[in-house]
Structure formats: structure tokens, C-alpha cells
Amino acid sequence: MPDRIKPLLEQLVAFPTIAGTPNIDLIAWVKDQLDAAGFAVTIILSRDGTKAGLLARFGDGDGGTLFSAHTDVVPVEGQNWTEAPFRLAEREGRYVGRGTTDMKGFIACVLALAETLRETPPARPVLICLSWDEELGCRGIPDMIDSVVPVLGRPGLCIVGEPTLMRPVLGHKGKASYRAEFAGTPGHSAMAPYFTNALHGAAEFILALRRLQEALAQEGARDEAFDPPYSTVHAGIARGGVALNIVPDHAEVLFEIRHLASETPEAILSRIVLPEGARITRTGQYPGLSALADDPIVARFSSALSDPTPATVAFGTEAGYFAERGIPTVVCGPGTMKDGHQPDESIAIDQLEHYHALIRDWVFR
């Protein structure tokens, strides 16, 4: 029911589930809602027990639709909010609050749908997956994905509700993030040539990443569906040294590779020759998505949209994890990522209403 979206979203936004912090209170509240709606709910705790994911099923039989979302949001510190970020506000036809677009608005639509299923059960199951710490590089879903099919059965379609303005997104790049560490020998800067400066190794490595990016742009794999249409390498943080008059004995560079489906981060990384003593550690990774527009169920779902044209997005999602398990997967949700991660994050109210109607018509189709 559309009139249920606002109170559900209001409660969801009130949980300050910033990535890296506990989300258990939100998951417990959602479980209560789904228990009352007749769902069978399974909770999956993170390894440290401070966070949780949720798998829920309504109905019997095979197939059905899996609605997937992450429950974490990005921080608000350093942003100039004119509204309290964790209290839902309504302004000019929009709901304002952290997570309204990315992606608690979607969760509110799914919960509003869930509340109605007991009265008129659909022919096929309705399934829900909620994860944690997606914003930190999809850290939660790897601990959940192997339980999806055993607990829920194999879905006929997975809809990952990231904001796409309700367009069917069938592709995005994969990502791997790394820490490169460089060792040196400490000494007085007055005699710097006699010591090994770890920052020099880091600087050489950053220049190597830059040359690698140029090579990928010129001769690497290409897919014109993406912008940019090639794999990318990005150094985001460089650190080293403790004082100007001490030769640094340690430095590190945090970098990432966002790759097309036809390339692997391992193959890209192998093209770099590391300075002596350097060490690279992978800190995170998620697969890309490359869905087929002519997959029968993907095509059928896309045909239900006002704009069925397949699209790609620059940002990553959890969709690739489901697709790797052989589950037809599409990314499609209300709102646009242009409004996500921003101060005064917001979503158009009519987007939520239209999306709720879309998924309700879909599960009863």
C-alpha cells in the first residue's frame, strides 16, 4: 500500500546504519515486520557479531522474485545538511534523509508489498535479502551468498534495488581494492642519500599506475556501454613519513581497479613490476555484472518498465554475486544515484509510489 511507504521509510531512516557500524537494531525491526507478514525469516550474523543480514521467504514452490538491498548508508560528517539526516523530512514532493535514495526507499517499497501478501498470496514466492557494509566494498554479501539458495530456494529473478530511475541495469564493472606497502630505512634527512626512502618507492608505484591506466585506455579491452569504456586504475590515498627531517621507513598507497567483465584485476595488476621490498594486499573485491537482455525473465521484467532500454551504471552493486550463482539478475530501483551520498539526500515521492506499483504488479503477474 503506497500510504505505508512513508511510515516504513521514516523508521528505516531513523536507524543510523552508517557503513562499518552495527545494523542489528534495524535488522531486528525488519524481522518483526516480516514475521507479522507471514514470512519465514533467517538472520545471518557477521563474523564479529555486530552486524547482521536477513533472508526471508513468503510462499511455497520454486522460482519467484528475490528483492535484494544493503542496509548500510554512507556517513554524514563533513556534509552541509539543512535537515536532520536521520529524521525523515518531506519537502517539495520529496522525502529527505540519509538512505532515502541509497537504498532504504527501495526497502520501504518491498516491506509495504510484504505486508499485503498474506491477504492475497502470489502464485510464486517473494524473497528478500538484506545485507550489511555494501558501502565498504560489498563486505557483507560474501558471507551470505552461499546461504541464499539453500535457505530461500533458487529465485527465478533477483532484483537489486539500487537507484536507477526504474531503468533495467544489466551491467556494471567489477572492482578490486588494494593496499601497497613500501619499506625503507630511517635516518636523518641531512644524509638522505645513504638511506632508502619508502616514499620514493610509493611515488614510483603511483607513476606506474598512471602508465598502466594510459595503456588500458589505449590498448585494453573496450565496451562502449560503459563510460569510460575501458578498465580503470585509481590511486586514492598515499601515506608515509613522520617528520620532514626523517627519511621515511614506511609508506603505503591505497588503490583500486574497476574492470570490464572481459578483464580480471589479477591480469591487470600483473602488468606492474613492484619495487624491491614492496607488498600488495587485496582489501576488497566484488564481481561485475553482465546480464543478458534476451534472458526470458529479464526481458519479461524489463518489458514491464516504462523505459525498458537496458543500461549500465558506473557504480558497483551486489548484483554480480547473485549472477555468479546462476540467478538471472537485474539492477532496478527508484531514484537516481545523483541524489545518493549527498547532503540532504532525497527521493521523489512519486518514484516510490510508482516503484511499489511496479513490483506489486510484477509478483502477481
Side-chain angles (χ1 to χ4, degrees), residues 85-154:
F86 298 108
R87 186 172 65 240
L88 190 69
E90 185 172 340
R91 187 171 68 195
E92 298 177 352
R94 304 180 70 85
Y95 291 135
V96 181
R98 176 56 91 218
T100 49
T101 293
D102 184 20
M103 54 189 304
K104 292 179 176 179
F106 168 78
I107 298 174
C109 289
V110 173
L111 292 179
L113 169 66
E115 291 180 346
T116 67
L117 299 182
R118 179 173 268 169
E119 301 172 5
T120 312
R124 291 173 295 277
V126 172
L127 316 169
I128 298 172
C129 175
L130 301 182
S131 70
W132 70 90
D133 284 358
E134 186 270 353
E135 299 289 3
L136 299 180
C138 297
R139 293 186 182 178
I141 195 64
D143 290 346
M144 299 182 63
I145 193 64
D146 288 337
S147 298
V148 169
V149 172
V151 172
L152 300 179
R154 180 166 294 278

